[in-house]
Amino acid sequence: KKSIAMALTPCALPALRPHGAILEGPVKRQPALAASARPATWVAGAVGVAAASSLRAKRQGRQGRPGHTGRRVATAEAKISAELKVDPLKLKRGVLANGMRYVLLRHVVPQGRCEAHLEFHVGSVDEQEDQRGMAHMLEHICFLGSEKRMQLQSSGLGMTSNACTDFNHTVYYVSIGSEHVQEGLQVLSDVGFQPAFKPERVEKERAAVLSEAQMVNDCQYRLQTQFLSALHGDNCIHTRFPIGLEQQIASWTVEELRRFHSRWYVPENATLFIVGDIDEEETIQQVNQAFANIPQAGLSVGEPWQYDATSLLRPKVDGRPEILHRFVQPADALAPGEEVLSLKEWQSDLQVSVATNELMQGMQVTWAAKTPLSPARNLEGLSEWLCQRLVVEAVRLRFSSRWRSGVIPCSLHSYDSAREAVTITTLTIMAEPSRWQDRCEEVLEEVLTITCHGVAEEELDLAKRMCLDRVAEAAASQPWSFMGTLYGYDAAGTSREIVEALIASTPTGHLLTSAPSFSEALKQVAEEITLERFNESLRSMLGFLGPAESARGAVVVSCPATVADELSGRKVPFTQPSAQQVESVLRSIQGLDASEAAARRVSAPASLAPEVEHIPEALEVKREDVTTIRLANGLVVRLLVMPASPSSGPARAGMRLTVPGGRVSDELAGRLGASHAMLMTLNNGGAGQWSQDEVQLFRALNSVQTDFRAAADALELDVFMSPTATSCRAALEWLHWALKEPKLDLQGFADSQLRMKGDALAREKSLEKRSLQAALEHMYPSHRWLDDVSVLDVNKLTLGMVKKAAASQMQSVQGLELDLAICIARLGDSGGLMHEEEFEDASMNAEEEEAVKEMRKTLETEIGRCLGTLPAVPRGQEFSPPTPSASSRGTELRVHIPDNEARAMVLVGGFAPGYWGRGDKTWQCTSQYKNFSWGPRAEQHPLYPARATELMMECMNTRLLGRVRDQLSPAYNCDIELTMFEGFDAGHFFCKVFTFPQTLREAAAAAVQVLRSPGPLPFTDHEVEASKKVMAWREGRRQREDRSYWLGRLKLQGNGEAIAMDESRLLESLGADDVQLAWKALGGLDDPTVVLTTSGTPDVAAVLRPQDLPVVQHSDFPEAVLAQEALAPKSSSKMDFLD
């Protein structure tokens, strides 16, 4: 998911490629298809060198490295040096006496932590026809059946662990403190090599896997299975999805599972990866202690570090299935003597498959080409690799200038997939079902025009600038990190990121080196890429798209089952096109001629700087660690500039404009959804004197990205940019015109309305979102603004309503707040980049302090020039959102979603305090009735209620997992989500359990039992300490990885790192009594709101009969109702005796 693939539009359906970052924490969440946390390939140093030559053999006599489709590099490029001079990754690797491989790397980000991942080279492709899903089920049994893992997980050491299964491997991992590496390795040894196979555990995991199979069967999963089935119809991958077949999963015996384990879970078929803050020599000894006593199985293998190209690049083992591919026919022939070892045959035809996806709203056409994997390991290869990235960038720029950024109907992706050992290039087109032919013509016309005529010199220069700047910025933002030919623009900075990359890419031979070294290498090869060379690469890479008879590859069409009738709005069946019809349409499309293509090109303005004669002086400036500026027009700005570090995060920049109002102002004005539509129209439109095309290109070239939200009580406009003065200046200039002269035009509104309607229709088919909608409608019947808008609300919107929403909330900057957080790259004493070990304890030197001061001064000047010159318009009465009040009565609701697949979930909800410790009227009344108080600690620290409640929820999630998931096994996934509003006093919680339709009653009862359990079983110190360590670890990760992290902290007024330290101390001081107190602050536990949601055919809806309700016990006299009655004013009527 971090390859060169460009997600060109938020409205696009998820990219069809390997996915699945596994979520950490006590709940074991497995992605639908790909279990590997990163889908593509990445390697360093000598690891993978043997594999790099195994895909394409006999290179002698070759004049250049093959391109994306096997094309030879032009002779003119032969002058590029064959040796790539970059810093190698300092890996330590070895092989134990029993054949198990290990790879170690010392990396101290984060400090004091270590990642140990045990990879078994067995996945779903190794299953026999009657074993489909066995590799995945075995992963469940091994991981959750380990007594050692469960003991260490609950020991309070702050360990997190998980496991995953994919086509090509199964991986178990632990993340633990560096001082406990030995214990973590013992856990992995127990998990992988010594499973208990207890019958009761096998049955629990059988139920969990069957539940998971239903839970993951969402729209995205169906898109992926359809795509991969079509792409890999030439081998067994298309019938070996890791989740397996339910009827087989239900039938396997313990002995069959044990035989599969004995066959594949052996040392010769395993590799251990350890990355973290470790002593390498000591860790090697610990590896021997934990794994050397595992007996060798005598499995026939080749050399330890050679990988079989015909079996998904894994160690050679007798009996593995052979995985060969029909690769798209290259544009030109291979060099003499060269062969592709994983080639089945060349594909020169166009294969089209069409299928219905009941959960889709629109229609999607994905055109893909599968080509051999070609790692870039020298200057020659790196030059071709960069050419391919430039092609994607240039096409993206064309798309951006042709269509609005928020509604681009297509996306181009190109990525290397280690799980399939191929390179995949896709063009995905999204369309309204009734207009799919027109949309395909628009997109393919643009792509074929680029392919035929190439790009202009200035377009190539822009693409180079954007690519190189992005890599340079990523390298500067995390100089302790590594970059390479897998991720391109993204840096692997943490131990987790690096170990995942090594697992995915060790066999493939992709380059991985220090981030600064990679950036310099790209600059070197970029100078050698001429326009002629680039256009050659472009035609080679995208030639499979046509025109006409030259079109080849696989086309996958996903259609909705029903569409809305344009006149009545009723859903009617959609007649899907035939494969022949789709092929005919695609082959008939032609590109534009050269003159028409030239006429469409758009130039980006160099600057959006406003003409300023006088900058009003700020009313107030407080220069502390956080600079606070009150501008003359009433805008309040908080500015934080600090150096990047592994703890505070990489170099990055962002700002958040907070506008009072949001969804609640829409409801008060009778125009639900207008604020959301306004923000979308604003984001995709022009501004000032510049058109939409010019503004979008200006933002793209200056690395300015946006993320706008219409929250319940405010609008939040997040703008992210590079941590450079140029990019920050460009962002402020754009914000000036977006506030002063936004262009809210009819086309932009129509596009936004269409997207909102699609989102609303998608929510109607989502188990989770339909359940949440039903719960909120009951709990807050008079406050619809707490939930997303419906299709009916969207249809009522007009452009006039959108303009009124903008006028009422954004016409004046008085009362608005802008938070800017900039982390700038740190420099060593000599001016060079520091090594990772030096960052944590290093304080700013004089040069860094000067850089921080200079950036702060520059930004203060730009804030005054761009925002201080906005007109001062009186805002009128200060906006005060109404506080919602939860219903004092719970209920049980039924929701059913028509589908052809059976799924189910339970949602249990209640009310909670807001962020600052006070809740709505129902909460206040209930708290007064039961004499609840947060006590003196809430007065000492305003964040005490929030942090205590969050910690309580973490403890509750652990209990929920243990009870619902492990003991009762009615569910695969379950967790509790807490919402605490900051702008007003209110909050709520929802417990979600995904289960079978036939086990809804048991799942609901178990969830409610856990929610009520702290009454008879108060929280213990052991529970709290373990949860605190997990929370601290997650917070640290958020601080490093969430680009909006510091924006949410600036309102607390203080130095960024000091804020984090203060909250860390608060969390550390919390104990079991504080957590128990937070549980008492929850409301509705005795009479919860319960939503039972099913999807499937009508017989699934009939699983719960009316006489089966209620499924949980509700109090006849709920606490909230008693509180309202007890505290209600007494009647003064003389007829009181009649009561």
Side-chain angles (χ1 to χ4, degrees), residues 889-901:
R889 282 281 187 182
T891 189
E892 292 191 6
L893 306 171
R894 284 296 320 278
V895 176
H896 182 72
I897 303 172
D899 192 9
N900 63 352
E901 301 284 351

Side-chain angles (χ1 to χ4, degrees), residues 600-911:
R600 282 191 175 181
R601 289 173 182 161
V602 179
S603 298
S607 171
L608 301 184
E611 295 182 3
V612 177
E613 296 181 358
H614 170 67
I615 299 178
E617 186 176 351
L619 298 178
E620 182 181 15
V621 179
K622 291 183 179 179
R623 290 186 178 89
E624 299 176 349
D625 293 323
V626 172
T627 300
T628 304
I629 307 171
R630 188 176 300 276
L631 299 175
N633 53 22
L635 178 66
V636 176
V637 181
R638 287 180 287 267
L639 172 63
L640 171 64
V641 182
M642 60 182 173
S645 71
S647 59
S648 63
R652 54 192 170 182
M655 58 183 177
R656 173 176 295 167
L657 181 69
T658 303
V659 183
R663 297 198 302 263
V664 62
S665 67
D666 292 342
E667 178 163 299
L668 296 176
R671 47 175 184 254
L672 278 175
S675 290
H676 188 190
M678 180 267 293
L679 290 179
M680 293 175 67
T681 307
L682 173 69
N683 191 32
N684 300 324
Q689 67 191 46
W690 295 279
S691 67
Q692 175 265 338
D693 297 339
E694 293 173 319
V695 169
Q696 301 304 328
L697 274 179
F698 173 81
R699 284 168 46 179
L701 292 174
N702 288 282
S703 302
V704 176
Q705 302 173 352
T706 56
D707 181 16
F708 295 171
R709 295 175 302 280
D713 63 326
L715 306 179
E716 292 182 344
L717 286 70
D718 283 3
V719 183
F720 302 101
M721 49 276 188
S722 300
T724 63
T726 301
S727 185
C728 293
R729 182 182 297 112
L732 289 167
E733 288 175 356
W734 172 80
L735 184 59
H736 169 93
W737 292 109
L739 292 172
K740 186 178 181 180
E741 296 182 25
K743 289 186 176 180
L744 304 175
D745 57 30
L746 185 59
Q747 182 60 51
F749 165 70
D751 292 339
S752 301
Q753 189 179 35
L754 184 63
R755 282 189 57 198
M756 290 178 65
K757 192 180 300 185
D759 292 342
L761 289 171
R763 285 193 295 272
E764 292 181 0
K765 295 187 178 182
S766 167
L767 280 177
E768 187 173 340
K769 292 178 180 177
R770 279 289 300 275
S771 303
L772 183 62
Q773 180 184 21
L776 288 174
E777 286 177 354
H778 169 77
M779 292 175 63
Y780 302 98
S782 302
H783 303 281
R784 290 192 54 223
W785 48 276
L786 289 174
D787 194 18
D788 294 312
V789 294
S790 65
V791 175
L792 182 61
D793 297 323
V794 177
N795 286 333
K796 292 179 180 178
L797 293 175
T798 65
L799 179 59
M801 291 180 178
V802 166
K803 290 183 176 180
K804 287 181 180 178
S808 64
Q809 298 180 71
M810 299 180 64
Q811 189 174 26
S812 171
V813 297
Q814 186 179 40
L816 275 56
E817 297 180 348
L818 181 71
D819 295 304
L820 283 88
I822 318 292
C823 292
I824 62 175
R826 296 187 67 166
L827 300 173
D829 293 334
S830 61
L833 292 170
M834 300 171 68
H835 294 292
E836 59 192 39
E837 293 90 349
E838 301 173 302
F839 271 92
E840 292 293 346
D841 300 322
S843 57
M844 283 193 293
N845 57 37
E847 187 178 357
E848 288 170 343
E849 290 182 356
E850 186 62 31
V852 169
K853 291 179 181 178
E854 185 64 27
M855 175 63 80
R856 186 183 292 119
K857 180 180 178 181
T858 299
L859 289 176
E860 288 182 17
T861 301
E862 294 301 323
I863 288 168
R865 182 176 67 92
C866 296
L867 303 180
T869 54
L870 291 171
V873 179
R875 193 170 187 86
Q877 187 175 0
E878 183 178 353
F879 176 77
S880 179
T883 298
S885 185
S887 172
S888 57
R889 282 281 187 182
T891 189
E892 292 191 6
L893 306 171
R894 284 296 320 278
V895 176
H896 182 72
I897 303 172
D899 192 9
N900 63 352
E901 301 284 351
R903 295 174 295 151
M905 77 166 290
V906 174
L907 186 143
V908 181
F911 51 92

Side-chain angles (χ1 to χ4, degrees), residues 1099-1122:
D1099 59 306
V1100 175
V1103 168
L1104 277 182
R1105 300 166 300 173
Q1107 56 266 36
D1108 293 329
L1109 301 178
V1111 297
V1112 302
Q1113 182 180 359
H1114 295 258
S1115 172
D1116 293 331
F1117 303 99
E1119 199 171 46
V1121 174
L1122 293 176

Side-chain angles (χ1 to χ4, degrees), residues 638 658 817 819 982 1046-1053:
R638 287 180 287 267
T658 303
E817 297 180 348
D819 295 304
E982 293 186 41
W1046 293 114
L1047 300 180
R1049 296 292 184 270
L1050 274 179
K1051 290 186 179 180
L1052 302 179
Q1053 285 294 327

Side-chain angles (χ1 to χ4, degrees), residues 32-33 124 127 133-134 136 165-167 240-244 419:
L33 279 178
S124 58
E127 299 163 351
M134 189 173 284
H136 175 230
T165 305
D166 208 335
F167 293 128
R240 292 296 186 272
F241 297 113
I243 201 67
R419 65 202 290 258

Side-chain angles (χ1 to χ4, degrees), residues 508-575:
T508 64
H510 277 72
L511 170 70
L512 179 66
T513 181
S514 69
S517 177
F518 182 68
S519 179
E520 290 302 315
L522 285 188
K523 291 177 183 178
Q524 179 184 352
V525 299
E527 297 175 358
E528 304 291 337
I529 298 177
T530 63
L531 182 62
E532 180 182 3
R533 163 79 182 282
F534 172 83
N535 283 329
E536 269 189 53
S537 186
L538 187 153
R539 283 188 285 271
S540 175
M541 184 173 173
L542 303 182
F544 72 95
L545 297 170
E549 295 306 318
S550 61
R552 54 202 185 276
V555 176
V556 185
V557 183
S558 302
C559 304
T562 59
V563 293
D565 182 79
E566 293 185 1
L567 297 178
S568 64
R570 292 184 296 106
K571 293 182 179 179
V572 296
F574 175 69
T575 304

